[in-house]
C-alpha cells in the first residue's frame, strides 16, 4: 500500500474523529456548567452526590467508561448494543469531559471576589443577571487556558474509540499497520493529530486575544 493510499483511507476515519471531537464539545461544555452549579448547590445532598459522581468519572479510565456505556446496557438489562457506535462513544466522552470541565468552571467561579456579587446586588441585579453579565464573562477569560488543555487532550483521546471498534482514524490506522506489518500508519496518524491540535491551539489562542479586554 502506497503512502498516499494510506493517507486517503485514514482521512475517511478522520471525519469520524472530528465527529467525536465536536459532538463531545457541544454536549460536554454546557453540561459541565450545569454540573458545576449543582456541585456548588447549598443542598448538601445534591452537592455531595455530584461531588461523588465527579470523583468516579475523574478517577476511572475513560476506556473503562467507554466499555461500560457501550456494552453495559447489554449485560445489565439485555438491551442490544447500539448499531451506531458513535452514540455510546459520544455519551461516554461527553459525561467524562463534563466532569473535568465542571471542576474547571467551579474553580473559575470561586476565583471571583465576593465584592463583585455585593456590588451587583447594590446595583439591583438579580442573581441570574449577576452571573450571566458580570461573573460568567470573567470566568470564561480565566478558565480558557485550562479549557484549552482539556480540548487538546480530547483530540488525542478520540483514539480510545478503537476499544469499542468504532472506525475512527486511529482504528483504521491500526488495522492498516497490522495488515501491512508497518509502523508507518501510526506515523501518519501522529501527523493528523498534530495538525488537528495545532489548529485547535490557533483557534483558542485567537479566542484568548479576543477576551483581552477583560484584563
Amino acid at each position: 500500500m502506497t503512502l498516499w493510499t494510506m493517507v486517503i483511507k485514514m482521512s475517511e476515519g478522520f471525519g469520524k474523529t472530528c465527529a467525536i471531537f465536536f459532538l463531545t464539545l457541544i454536549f460536554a461544555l454546557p453540561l459541565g456548567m450545569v454540573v458545576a452549579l449543582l456541585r456548588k448547590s447549598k443542598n448538601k445532598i445534591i452537592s455531595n452526590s455530584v461531588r461523588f459522581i465527579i470523583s468516579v468519572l475523574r478517577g476511572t479510565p475513560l476506556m473503562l467508561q467507554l466499555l461500560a456505556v457501550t456494552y453495559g446496557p447489554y449485560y445489565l438489562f439485555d438491551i442490544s448494543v447500539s448499531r451506531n457506535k458513535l452514540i455510546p462513544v459520544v455519551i461516554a466522552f461527553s459525561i467524562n469531559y463534563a466532569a473535568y470541565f465542571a471542576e474547571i468552571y467551579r474553580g473559575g467561579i470561586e476565583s471571583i471576589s465576593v465584592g463583585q456579587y455585593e456590588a451587583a446586588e447594590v446595583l439591583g441585579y438579580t442573581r441570574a443577571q449577576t452571573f450571566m453579565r458580570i461573573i460568567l464573562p470573567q470566568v470564561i477569560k480565566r478558565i480558557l487556558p485550562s479549557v484549552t488543555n482539556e480540548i487538546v487532550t480530547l483530540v488525542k483521546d478520540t483514539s480510545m474509540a478503537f476499544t469499542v471498534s468504532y472506525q475512527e482514524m486511529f482504528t483504521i490506522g491500526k488495522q492498516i499497520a497490522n495488515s501491512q506489518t508497518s509502523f508507518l500508519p501510526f506515523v501518519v496518524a501522529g501527523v493528523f493529530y498534530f495538525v488537528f491540535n495545532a489548529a485547535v491551539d490557533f483557534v483558542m489562542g485567537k479566542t484568548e486575544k479576543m477576551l483581552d479586554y477583560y484584563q
Side-chain angles (χ1 to χ4, degrees), residues 36-180:
L37 295 176
L38 290 174
R39 172 74 172 79
K40 288 179 61 61
S41 172
K42 293 180 180 180
N43 186 313
K44 293 298 182 182
I45 296 176
I46 294 176
S47 62
N48 288 333
S49 298
V50 173
R51 181 178 182 180
F52 174 74
I53 293 171
I54 290 174
S55 297
V56 171
L57 291 171
R58 296 175 71 197
T60 55
L62 174 57
M63 187 179 297
L64 178 60
Q65 294 167 31
L66 277 166
L67 293 170
V69 173
T70 304
Y71 302 112
Y74 173 77
Y75 290 109
L76 294 174
F77 309 109
D78 199 27
I79 299 174
S80 60
V81 178
S82 175
R83 292 184 179 181
N84 185 356
K85 292 288 181 65
L86 179 62
I87 295 173
V89 166
V90 170
I91 290 174
F93 269 87
S94 298
I95 294 173
N96 179 272
Y97 271 85
Y100 285 94
F101 287 138
E103 288 299 279
I104 293 173
Y105 291 148
R106 185 176 67 86
I109 293 170
E110 292 179 353
S111 71
I112 306 298
S113 65
V114 178
Q116 296 200 40
Y117 291 92
E118 295 173 345
E121 186 177 357
V122 170
L123 292 171
Y125 283 89
T126 63
R127 293 183 63 181
Q129 289 174 331
T130 299
F131 183 76
M132 295 302 296
R133 297 182 182 181
I134 300 174
I135 306 302
L136 187 58
Q138 295 180 73
V139 168
I140 292 174
K141 168 62 179 176
R142 295 186 183 190
I143 68 173
L144 207 54
S146 297
V147 170
T148 299
N149 286 338
E150 288 300 321
I151 293 176
V152 167
T153 302
L154 172 59
V155 173
K156 295 176 287 186
D157 278 354
T158 55
S159 62
M160 290 191 186
F162 86 91
T163 59
V164 294
S165 302
Y166 183 65
Q167 297 293 310
E168 45 75 54
M169 182 182 62
F170 184 80
T171 305
I172 294 175
K174 189 171 180 289
Q175 292 172 347
I176 295 174
N178 291 336
S179 64
Q180 300 291 314

Side-chain angles (χ1 to χ4, degrees), residues 173-192:
K174 189 171 180 289
Q175 292 172 347
I176 295 174
N178 291 336
S179 64
Q180 300 291 314
T181 317
S182 171
F183 190 77
L184 186 58
F186 295 120
V187 176
V188 174
V191 173
F192 269 109

